[in-house]
Amino acid sequence: MPKSAIIRRFGGPEVISIEEVPHEKPGAGQVLLRHQASAIHLADPLMREGLYYFKPDLPAVLGIEGAGQIEQVGPGVNNFKVGERVSYRFSLGSYSEERVIDTQHLQKLPNEIDTKVSVAIGTRGLTAQYLLRQLYPIKPEDIVLIHAAAGGMGGVLTQWAKHLGAIVIGTVGNREKVKVAELNGCDYVINYNQDNFADVVLDITNNIGVPVVYDSVGLSAYKNNLKVLSPRGWLINYGHSSGFLPSIDAMELNTKSLVFTKASLKDFNSTAEDNHRMITEVNEMITGGFIKANITREYTLDEISKAHEDILNRKTNGTVILTFND
Ligand SMILES: NC(=O)c1ccc[n+]([C@@H]2O[C@H](COP(=O)([O-])OP(=O)(O)OC[C@H]3O[C@@H](n4cnc5c(N)ncnc54)[C@H](OP(=O)(O)O)[C@@H]3O)[C@@H](O)[C@H]2O)c1
């Protein structure tokens, strides 16, 4: 019988149980998918703890992004075939060897895109697309600050920003990650656990500051983020790995006419057309060789609790994924 990682209550890593579950048959408009890989996001342990904005009904199979091969198609499915490779995002249940899924969630994987690469970059690529190409469109020579530049999201953002011609200042949490951020393409790397990143950024920019900060760190970086922005600069917060942001003080933004936004992918790819356009662009970035996945570790289903601990404790760099035996 296939195995899944299930939670029956919210809590620490111990609430995850790896269980054998009966084979399911796909219903109308569904397929049975054998997973080859699943993304592991920082959001996953938060969801497990019940701290994510989306709280799943319990019991739940964790994991929201997967890819694999279609094993069986349900009645009325004529746009997907047995044997095709597909990927999906935002559908709970990817921490499982196999699952039934509605075809509306699926995208066919182009031959040139490896299944593991698709889950490593997938959502992160879409997020980078809206952050760099829609929300604050990067221009050549823009000096941008990207936090956690050795991480999964930061790695994709850095590579794409470099492709667009930006000068990238990246922050990282330890010495080992400095090299990773450099390999991602950062022009300058700051260890923000060692140095005050605001001082270093102002030094690099001759006290002018940067026009945009791409921030996934949240609370611990907030005050310094305001300091490093040039007048009319954009503070784009798209995550809060270190804790929730304080209430935003409009008068503080007014001191430099700053723009603050707390952005979320769902508001950029909510129509099928937008989603398709963004996925096409991400696929082009992958097949063009402009974004590499940098998968640094593949965890097995039995190791998923360990993966959660590693990501929460900032022990990972690059991208980590979950893989399954064929
Ligand atoms: N809004 C959106 O549309 C959207 C979409 C996708 C992802 N995200 C967000 O993007 C962020 C990155 O996601 P990811 O899955 O790719 O993870 P990741 O960047 O691979 O890992 C998170 C990194 O955040 C840094 N960090 C800083 N302070 C931390 C703390 N107190 N605890 C844990 N980590 C801390 C760590 O790097 P250092 O040690 O180098 O600081 C850590 O490696 C997450 O906040 C996620 O929610 C947002």
Side-chain angles (χ1 to χ4, degrees):
M1 284 202 289
K3 287 184 186 166
S4 296
I6 299 175
I7 59 166
R8 295 198 155 67
R9 60 192 165 89
F10 295 114
E14 71 287 349
V15 302
I16 299 179
S17 128
I18 309 299
E19 298 178 17
E20 291 192 331
V21 290
H23 289 284
E24 265 188 281
K25 267 188 159 230
Q30 296 182 321
V31 301
L32 175 68
L33 179 64
R34 172 151 283 275
H35 281 130
Q36 291 164 335
S38 161
I40 303 175
H41 292 287
L42 181 71
D44 298 351
L46 299 180
M47 203 178 289
R48 184 203 70 211
E49 287 172 342
L51 298 176
Y52 197 59
Y53 77 90
F54 167 72
K55 260 192 168 186
D57 292 334
L58 300 181
V61 177
L62 291 174
I64 52 168
E65 175 166 16
Q69 202 164 34
I70 295 178
E71 291 250 301
Q72 213 182 329
V73 297
V77 173
N78 39 35
N79 49 346
F80 289 96
K81 291 198 297 268
V82 169
E84 273 183 324
R85 286 185 319 126
V86 291
S87 66
Y88 64 88
R89 287 159 280 278
F90 313 115
S91 174
L92 202 61
S94 65
Y95 288 5
S96 57
E97 289 175 336
E98 64 174 48
R99 69 171 299 180
V100 161
I101 185 165
D102 291 349
T103 54
Q104 63 179 12
H105 296 296
L106 301 179
Q107 276 92 41
K108 295 183 192 197
L109 274 176
N111 288 339
E112 315 79 46
I113 298 187
D114 179 79
T115 313
K116 292 176 186 177
V117 169
S118 82
V119 298
I121 295 184
T123 301
R124 295 181 175 100
L126 293 177
T127 305
Q129 199 283 343
Y130 85 74
L131 291 173
L132 302 170
R133 303 262 298 126
Q134 301 189 55
L135 196 50
Y136 182 95
I138 293 278
K139 299 178 296 303
E141 305 300 319
D142 273 345
I143 306 183
V144 306
L145 176 62
I146 295 177
H147 285 306
M153 219 17 265
V156 175
L157 267 180
T158 300
Q159 293 176 76
W160 200 328
K162 284 307 297 174
H163 176 68
L164 294 169
I167 297 162
V168 177
I169 307 174
T171 59
V172 297
N174 67 34
R175 240 190 17 220
E176 214 177 88
K177 293 183 183 182
V178 171
K179 284 198 194 74
V180 180
E182 281 170 352
L183 284 175
N184 285 333
C186 284
D187 298 275
Y188 303 90
V189 184
I190 305 167
N191 177 348
Y192 51 11
N193 283 333
Q194 179 186 294
D195 296 317
N196 180 310
F197 76 82
D199 291 346
V200 185
V201 170
L202 290 173
D203 201 30
I204 293 168
T205 59
N206 293 324
N207 283 320
I208 293 170
V210 291
V212 61
V213 177
Y214 293 102
D215 173 42
S216 61
V217 170
L219 181 63
S220 66
Y222 181 67
K223 284 284 170 201
N224 275 341
N225 282 338
L226 295 180
K227 271 193 206 163
V228 300
L229 283 166
S230 51
R232 291 163 41 194
W234 280 61
L235 173 49
I236 299 183
N237 175 271
Y238 68 95
H240 38 253
S241 309
S242 72
F244 291 110
L245 290 173
S247 299
I248 302 304
D249 177 348
M251 293 318 290
E252 204 171 15
L253 299 181
N254 183 242
T255 56
K256 289 191 273 185
S257 301
L258 301 178
V259 179
F260 171 84
T261 173
K262 179 139 188 60
S264 187
L265 173 59
K266 65 179 173 13
D267 299 311
F268 291 81
N269 70 344
S270 58
T271 68
E273 295 75 33
D274 285 344
N275 199 36
H276 178 73
R277 183 177 46 80
M278 290 166 70
I279 288 174
T280 304
E281 205 176 313
V282 172
N283 286 348
E284 284 167 3
M285 292 299 291
I286 298 172
T287 54
F290 305 118
I291 299 179
K292 302 256 185 328
N294 190 16
I295 298 168
T296 50
R297 180 156 175 189
E298 296 178 22
Y299 293 87
T300 64
L301 198 55
D302 288 324
E303 294 172 324
I304 197 64
S305 297
K306 163 91 177 116
H308 279 196
E309 282 185 274
D310 288 348
I311 196 162
L312 277 181
N313 293 326
R314 303 167 78 164
K315 287 191 178 152
T316 61
N317 62 54
T319 311
V320 296
I321 61 170
L322 172 61
T323 50
F324 304 89
N325 293 330
D326 287 331

